[in-house]
Amino acid sequence: MPTEYILYLFIFPSLSVGCHPGKKTAQQQDATRLHYRAVEGETFMLPCINSSPTVWSRTGEGGEEYKGHSFDCGKAFLAEAKHSGKYTDLTRSLLSSGSKLIFHLQVEKLSVGCYQPGEKSHVTLRLTAGGKLTCPGLKCSNNTDVLWYKGDKTKSCVDNGELQFKPVRERDGGVYFCDRRLREENITWTLRRAVSVTVTPRSSPSSPPTILNNSEPEEVELGLPYNLTCKVSFEYEEGFSPKVLWYMNYNGNTENTTLLPSEELHPQREILEELKIIQVSIIKKVTPQHLNHTYTCSTSNAVGNSSITIKLKRRNKAKWPCLVGHAVVSFLVVAGLGGIVHLKRLELEIIYRSYFQYGKHDTEKKQFDVFLSYAWSPLLADVTKSWTLSSRSGSFKNEEDDGEATQRPLEVLLPKVLEDQWGYRLCLLDRDMLPGGAYTNDVVLAIERSRMLICVLSADYLTNSNAVFVLESGIQALLQKRALKLLLIWTSGASGSLMEADPPLPTLVRKALRVLPSLKWSSSKPARSKSNFWGSLRKAMPNIDSEAGFSHAAPMIKLC
């Protein structure tokens, strides 16, 4: 800061602040007894001592307390003659700290001889302008030493007893109290008067109203109502009633206009010097003709006019937003697939290993080509016995083409076709497993040594615990990424006994039966070599590995 400016502030301090501070020392009184006078009908406020909360309680001459006659300091009330009397600081009395503080209040009517023309108990000040307050009755005496208060806070910007405002701010509104001293009969009285201040904006605006809308076209939907909304900001203007009007310009011609009916104005005052108005005109039903016209919002004040013209355009009917729609659909698809995978994980894994994984291990060397599993029954034993006698007589025929042979059970026919005609190395538990061994170990070992497991499912098979164990072991081997192919052959009546199996089938088996590769066999239809069954079975079989190091000792029988 320049040295010259500092010297200027030091020499002319009053010019720099624009007012003289009040002299607080001249207002000091006896610390234990206070004497105040108030004017009847004026606002009055009991003082606070040392800016601390004080409760003044009315007491009689003997010191007794009047119930219901107590006032908090700093709280304004309308002075009446009945309020005259003696008050005690109730706060100090309760705390018993120090001497008792006594307050004498005398409420009098305004003295006509002391009333000065032009004195006001209510003053209006203009915002941002300069202003001052004069203490009522100040000129009734030569004492111009005045102390001003707003609430319990002292105002120090005083010049010749007048409170100065340079400039006036919005927060300056409220009730002010001025105190001055009077000396009567050796008693110093403080006369407290009130002045109410209202802060108003400038009396006239400096610019035309401001329309807050933009001139961009507004989108509407045909057949629906629409609100034309105009937002306008007005500067304060004393005695002014704002008006905002909507006009419709036919085909955009501003010379051919019609005044539109409008709703009631909605004023919004956010700050003192500014008033915001919202004017709405309702189009009850938008038609294509409305799109050809323009609409003007017009307003004015003492300074000038303001207007804005807008046009309506058709809004396309809201369609399913592509981005949101795709995201929702994608989420639903992913969630659905996740749920299916979670619920059908086992079935999906079996399908993958049965249809897509086997070909990668088709060339692995195994001791057996096929492990054939079926349920043995007394009927099969009789058929097998008769077939063995016939084979010894040498009257064999091609089992695929012979009609009589096709009447035999598949459990009897299938080993002859696979082993004797097609040349596959079969593993049959009743023939190739040594007696005396553990059944479960033999089954697991046979599956490990076989390239393919074929299970002939019959009613007897699904109720045979040993046969079901073979099927379950094969499924587990398939799930353990072993080089195994599994094929089911359903015979007539097997599917019906699936739901009636006793004991119930394991969960793993029930789920696998629905998805494993399968063929159907019916003995009532001729099973020719070129029939669907034998053709499908031939395609499902693995390639014959003639170089395998192990072959069972069963004789190879050539069928005629």
Side-chain angles (χ1 to χ4, degrees):
M1 184 180 293
T3 305
E4 296 82 2
Y5 185 67
I6 297 177
L7 291 175
Y8 175 81
L9 295 179
F10 180 76
I11 297 173
F12 305 104
S14 62
L15 297 178
S16 63
V17 299
C19 60
H20 296 286
K23 299 179 182 179
K24 297 183 181 179
T25 56
Q27 300 296 324
Q28 295 178 354
Q29 299 186 38
D30 184 358
T32 60
R33 290 183 178 272
L34 301 176
H35 295 78
Y36 271 72
R37 284 181 178 175
V39 175
E40 186 177 7
E42 280 190 359
T43 303
F44 186 78
M45 181 187 69
L46 273 67
C48 294
I49 306 303
N50 298 327
S51 299
S52 60
T54 305
V55 179
W56 295 103
S57 178
R58 178 79 175 273
T59 57
E61 296 298 330
E64 66 276 7
E65 181 180 349
Y66 286 86
K67 293 184 178 180
H69 290 78
S70 61
F71 299 93
D72 294 333
C73 75
K75 185 176 181 181
F77 60 93
L78 196 64
E80 300 178 19
K82 64 180 181 179
H83 294 144
S84 299
K86 185 172 65 175
Y87 294 81
T88 304
D89 183 359
L90 186 60
T91 306
R92 291 194 179 189
S93 301
L94 293 175
L95 296 177
S96 299
S97 58
S99 60
K100 184 179 295 186
L101 183 61
I102 299 176
F103 175 82
H104 295 271
L105 176 61
Q106 185 175 351
V107 180
E108 300 177 344
K109 292 185 178 181
L110 181 63
S111 175
V112 178
C114 189
Y115 178 77
Q116 300 293 325
E119 290 182 346
K120 296 180 180 179
S121 60
H122 186 279
V123 178
T124 300
L125 301 178
R126 299 293 181 185
L127 190 67
T128 71
K132 63 182 180 179
L133 296 183
T134 301
C135 185
L138 177 63
K139 298 180 180 180
C140 292
S141 67
N142 295 327
N143 183 9
T144 59
D145 193 3
V146 179
L147 191 61
W148 285 90
Y149 292 89
K150 185 180 182 182
D152 59 348
K153 296 182 179 179
T154 305
K155 310 301 289 186
S156 59
C157 194
V158 180
D159 186 10
N160 292 326
E162 296 178 337
L163 182 61
Q164 305 292 322
F165 297 92
K166 296 184 178 181
V168 177
R169 298 178 176 85
E170 186 175 349
R171 66 173 181 267
D172 291 333
V175 179
Y176 292 80
F177 296 94
C178 59
D179 291 354
R180 58 189 179 88
R181 293 288 185 86
L182 299 175
R183 184 78 177 176
E184 293 182 0
E185 300 179 357
N186 296 326
I187 297 177
T188 301
W189 291 87
T190 299
L191 178 59
R192 172 163 287 189
R193 301 294 301 274
V195 180
S196 178
V197 175
T198 300
V199 177
T200 62
R202 295 184 298 270
S203 59
S204 61
S206 60
S207 61
T210 302
I211 298 180
L212 305 179
N213 298 59
N214 56 50
S215 57
E216 296 294 327
E218 298 185 8
E219 293 185 346
V220 297
E221 293 187 17
L222 296 180
L224 297 180
Y226 185 74
N227 293 347
L228 294 170
T229 304
C230 187
K231 299 180 181 179
V232 186
S233 175
F234 292 88
E235 291 184 14
Y236 178 83
E237 186 173 354
E238 189 174 5
F240 172 70
S241 298
K243 290 185 179 181
V244 181
L245 303 176
W246 274 105
Y247 294 93
M248 182 173 67
N249 310 312
Y250 289 95
N251 297 322
N253 184 4
T254 56
E255 296 181 357
N256 186 9
T257 63
T258 296
L259 179 64
L260 296 177
S262 300
E263 298 291 310
E264 184 179 354
L265 289 175
H266 301 284
Q268 296 177 350
R269 186 178 295 278
E270 297 181 358
I271 56 177
L272 188 61
E273 64 268 23
E274 182 182 13
L275 178 65
K276 290 185 179 180
I277 295 293
I278 298 178
Q279 181 62 281
V280 178
S281 179
I282 301 177
I283 301 177
K284 295 183 179 180
K285 183 178 181 181
V286 178
T287 63
Q289 287 75 18
H290 287 106
L291 305 182
N292 299 327
H293 309 320
T294 58
Y295 302 85
T296 300
C297 173
S298 177
T299 186
S300 63
N301 62 4
V303 178
N305 303 325
S306 298
S307 63
I308 187 173
T309 300
I310 64 170
K311 188 175 178 61
L312 303 181
K313 68 176 183 179
R314 183 176 181 178
R315 177 189 300 163
N316 294 329
K317 290 187 177 180
K319 298 180 180 179
W320 181 267
C322 295
L323 184 60
V324 176
H326 291 165
V328 172
V329 172
S330 301
F331 173 78
L332 294 177
V333 170
V334 172
L337 291 177
I340 294 175
V341 171
H342 178 73
L343 296 176
K344 302 295 182 180
R345 181 186 60 83
L346 180 62
E347 291 90 331
L348 293 174
E349 187 175 359
I350 292 175
I351 291 174
Y352 172 74
R353 300 195 183 282
S354 299
Y355 293 94
F356 304 102
Q357 190 72 13
Y358 175 76
K360 299 180 181 180
H361 309 286
D362 197 27
T363 58
E364 290 190 11
K365 305 298 181 181
K366 295 290 184 178
Q367 185 175 355
F368 299 101
D369 292 320
V370 179
F371 178 8
L372 182 60
S373 172
Y374 52 86
W376 196 258
S377 64
L379 177 62
L380 288 178
D382 295 339
V383 174
T384 303
K385 182 176 181 181
S386 62
W387 175 79
T388 303
L389 294 176
S390 300
S391 62
R392 291 177 179 176
S393 63
S395 58
F396 297 113
K397 297 181 180 180
N398 191 317
E399 303 292 346
E400 298 180 60
D401 300 328
D402 184 25
E404 181 182 354
T406 59
Q407 301 300 321
R408 300 173 182 174
L410 185 63
E411 293 86 347
V412 177
L413 186 60
L414 193 57
K416 295 181 60 60
V417 174
L418 294 179
E419 194 169 49
D420 297 339
Q421 286 189 247
W422 292 355
Y424 286 101
R425 294 164 296 164
L426 291 187
C427 175
L428 302 176
L429 285 178
D430 56 340
R431 183 190 69 185
D432 298 315
M433 295 295 107
L434 296 176
Y439 179 79
T440 56
N441 293 338
D442 291 344
V443 169
V444 173
L445 184 62
I447 292 175
E448 289 180 353
R449 294 180 178 180
S450 302
R451 298 169 61 194
M452 183 176 185
L453 171 63
I454 298 179
C455 297
V456 181
L457 303 182
S458 60
D460 294 329
Y461 191 99
L462 297 176
T463 56
N464 188 311
S465 58
N466 291 337
V468 172
F469 175 76
V470 175
L471 175 58
E472 186 176 12
S473 299
I475 297 171
Q476 291 176 348
L478 181 67
L479 294 175
Q480 293 173 3
K481 302 182 181 180
R482 295 182 182 175
L484 179 69
K485 187 172 185 179
L486 207 159
L487 177 66
L488 306 178
I489 300 179
W490 293 86
T491 61
S492 56
S495 58
S497 60
L498 179 62
M499 303 300 297
E500 303 175 359
D502 188 21
L505 297 175
T507 303
L508 176 63
V509 174
R510 283 191 286 104
K511 291 185 176 182
L513 290 178
R514 293 196 291 262
V515 295
L516 282 172
S518 62
L519 297 175
K520 289 186 178 181
W521 164 265
S522 179
S523 58
S524 62
K525 297 180 180 179
R528 303 293 179 178
S529 58
K530 297 184 181 297
S531 67
N532 293 334
F533 173 79
W534 295 110
S536 300
L537 179 61
R538 193 64 183 264
K539 292 179 181 180
M541 298 298 295
N543 297 327
I544 297 179
D545 186 9
S546 58
E547 298 181 358
F550 178 83
S551 178
H552 59 78
M556 301 296 292
I557 303 175
K558 182 178 180 181
L559 302 178
C560 300

